Amino acid sequence: AVAAVVGILLGLPVLRLRGDYLAIVTLGFGEMIRVIANNLDKPINFTNGSQGLFNVGRPPVPPLLFNTVVTAETTLGIPVANAEPLAQQLLFYFIGIIIVAIIIVVARRLDNSPIGRAWTAIREDEVAAIAMGVPLVRMKLMAFAMGASFAGAIGVLYGAKQTFVSPESFSLIQSISILAMVIVGGIGGIRGALLGAVIVTLLNLLVLKNLSLQINALRNVDFVVPLINFHVRDWPTQLEPAKYERLIFGLLLIVMMIYRQEGLIPAQRR
């Protein structure tokens, strides 16, 4: 609820903007909030500054889930050093799945409601939507509120899992990653957003980092590339794929804008 209110307050100054300009301004607001939170520890301490919020409480593990982990360990013969952290991670996983499922259900219901149709009309042609009687200000603020409330719900889960939240935890690259997810998957559709999130996350967490690990492993054994007779040990450390996350995202967005502007799964027109 607090995130929804903040979303409305941030939406008020940008009501006249649309398209790319709206995305740029909202990214700017994200950076402004991070800087403000980083310095809002004096004269009155609201955010604890760069030290962040610590000792965030975690949800207690239900005895049923803990007993299930212990039973599975005994039945499958898999040694677990400490069942409590594993049960805690499983709890966060199930909570995350439930929250995402609720968000998808709510988003689908909204998409098929008069509110969703009004949002679609505003996205396609704002002037035509106003001419047809769509309340522009109210609908835009409602969109900001809903998006912010979804982010706030996941933010609560993130804070509880990390037990520590700092302004430095939310850098510009994370905002760009979220934007890349939507653009790659497809703007205006739930399936596209989910697909984009999977692609960008796997690219960031697995593909780029694994490529760097493979290059380092080949460098240690002095692997020679056939045909071109290139020694991997001569590969510059400055060119490790994991260091070029922003470059890869930039190239990905350029390719999508040139060849597939509507995304991999475009929103269906009704």
Side-chain angles (χ1 to χ4, degrees):
V2 173
V5 173
V6 174
I8 292 174
L9 295 177
L10 290 179
L12 286 172
V14 298
L15 285 176
R16 294 182 178 273
L17 301 176
R18 65 183 75 175
D20 299 337
Y21 301 102
L22 179 61
I24 293 171
V25 171
T26 51
L27 287 175
F29 269 125
E31 280 298 286
M32 287 170 55
I33 292 174
R34 183 179 65 83
V35 173
I36 291 173
N38 207 18
N39 294 275
L40 208 58
D41 57 342
K42 51 189 177 183
I44 301 176
N45 189 3
F46 281 106
T47 62
N48 210 27
S50 58
Q51 297 182 3
L53 306 176
F54 50 88
N55 292 332
V56 179
R58 285 184 167 181
V61 178
L64 177 62
L65 181 58
F66 180 79
N67 294 333
T68 302
V69 172
V70 174
T71 303
E73 174 190 2
T74 306
T75 305
L76 301 176
I78 301 175
V80 178
N82 192 346
E84 182 73 24
L86 179 57
Q88 187 80 63
Q89 293 299 319
L90 288 174
L91 176 62
F92 279 119
Y93 174 77
F94 291 132
I95 293 176
I97 291 295
I98 292 172
I99 292 177
V100 171
I102 292 174
I103 289 175
I104 292 175
V105 171
V106 172
R108 278 200 169 278
R109 296 286 292 176
L110 285 171
D111 191 32
N112 295 322
S113 70
I115 296 175
R117 297 179 188 276
W119 285 343
T120 303
I122 293 172
R123 182 190 68 200
E124 296 297 333
D125 193 327
E126 201 169 282
V127 176
I130 296 173
M132 293 302 295
V134 174
L136 183 67
V137 174
R138 191 171 67 189
M139 289 295 106
K140 275 193 171 184
L141 292 180
M142 191 176 294
F144 272 99
M146 291 304 302
S149 64
F150 292 160
I154 297 298
V156 171
L157 182 65
Y158 173 81
K161 184 178 184 300
Q162 301 294 115
T163 69
F164 172 77
V165 181
S166 169
E168 302 303 325
S169 303
F170 308 99
S171 59
L172 179 62
I173 187 62
Q174 289 182 316
S175 299
I176 295 175
S177 299
I178 295 173
L179 189 61
M181 293 175 186
V182 178
I183 293 176
V184 171
I187 297 176
I190 299 173
R191 294 183 303 163
L194 292 174
L195 178 63
V198 171
I199 292 175
V200 173
T201 302
L202 291 178
L203 180 66
N204 185 23
L205 296 181
L206 291 179
V207 177
L208 297 180
K209 289 179 173 57
N210 280 339
L211 280 177
S212 296
L213 292 176
Q214 291 295 329
I215 290 174
N216 288 329
L218 294 175
R219 185 186 290 120
N220 292 333
V221 299
D222 191 20
F223 180 78
V224 179
V225 180
L227 300 179
I228 61 176
N229 196 29
F230 175 75
H231 291 262
V232 179
R233 68 182 179 188
D234 297 330
W235 182 273
T237 57
Q238 294 86 352
L239 295 181
E240 291 184 5
K243 295 181 178 180
Y244 287 86
E245 177 185 349
R246 301 186 186 187
L247 175 63
I248 298 298
F249 282 170
L251 293 175
L252 184 62
L253 294 180
I254 290 173
V255 170
M256 293 301 299
M257 287 296 97
I258 294 175
Y259 297 104
R260 191 84 177 184
Q261 294 185 9
E262 68 276 11
L264 296 177
I265 304 181
Q268 296 180 352
R269 300 185 66 89
R270 295 178 294 179

